[in-house]
Amino acid sequence: MKKILKILFASLLLLTLTDTLAAQDPVDKKLLLNIVRKVKPEHVSTLRDSFLKCRVETLKEPGCIKYEIYQSPTDPTIFFIYEIWKNVEAHKLHSATPHVKVHSEECKGINDPNYKGEFHRVFIE
């Protein structure tokens, strides 16, 4: 019984913390995402081509300000993705679009498993 109570308490605490963190997202600021990912060498063109295809539709989204991909000049398997969104809500809407779902499906399993990657989320004026 104690274990069940501990699990319930931990779950409640986690839900509360998640709601608190979500409530801290400023609705009046732009969201900048800076992502670094490394793909397996045989999938360099897979990521690049899929991203560029997705980019065409993404730039049509009203909340998208910037959506770019850069390839490392020293390691072609490393990509830098740079996104700016009008706000958090615009990015949430983007994440649910058909073109992002296609892009995600096309890029499943292409990451280098030995590379952690980076994901930075910053709010800007």
Side-chain angles (χ1 to χ4, degrees), residues 49-87:
D49 296 348
S50 181
F51 184 93
L52 293 175
K53 192 170 50 174
C54 181
R55 182 179 183 272
V56 170
E57 295 304 315
T58 299
L59 290 173
K60 295 176 186 175
E61 295 176 43
C64 180
I65 296 169
K66 196 82 154 160
Y67 195 74
E68 303 293 338
I69 191 168
Y70 304 96
Q71 192 171 9
S72 169
T74 56
D75 183 345
T77 64
I78 295 179
F79 290 87
F80 306 93
I81 299 168
Y82 180 76
E83 304 177 27
I84 300 178
W85 296 92
K86 186 176 177 180
N87 52 36

Side-chain angles (χ1 to χ4, degrees), residues 96-108:
T97 59
H99 51 276
V100 168
K101 290 177 183 174
V102 168
H103 173 62
S104 295
E105 195 60 38
E106 290 176 345
C107 293
K108 238 182 213 172

Side-chain angles (χ1 to χ4, degrees), residues 37-40 43 46-47 106-112:
R37 69 188 279 198
K38 181 177 175 80
V39 298
K40 298 171 191 168
H43 291 295
T46 303
L47 176 61
E106 290 176 345
C107 293
K108 238 182 213 172
I110 70 170
N111 287 344
D112 181 333

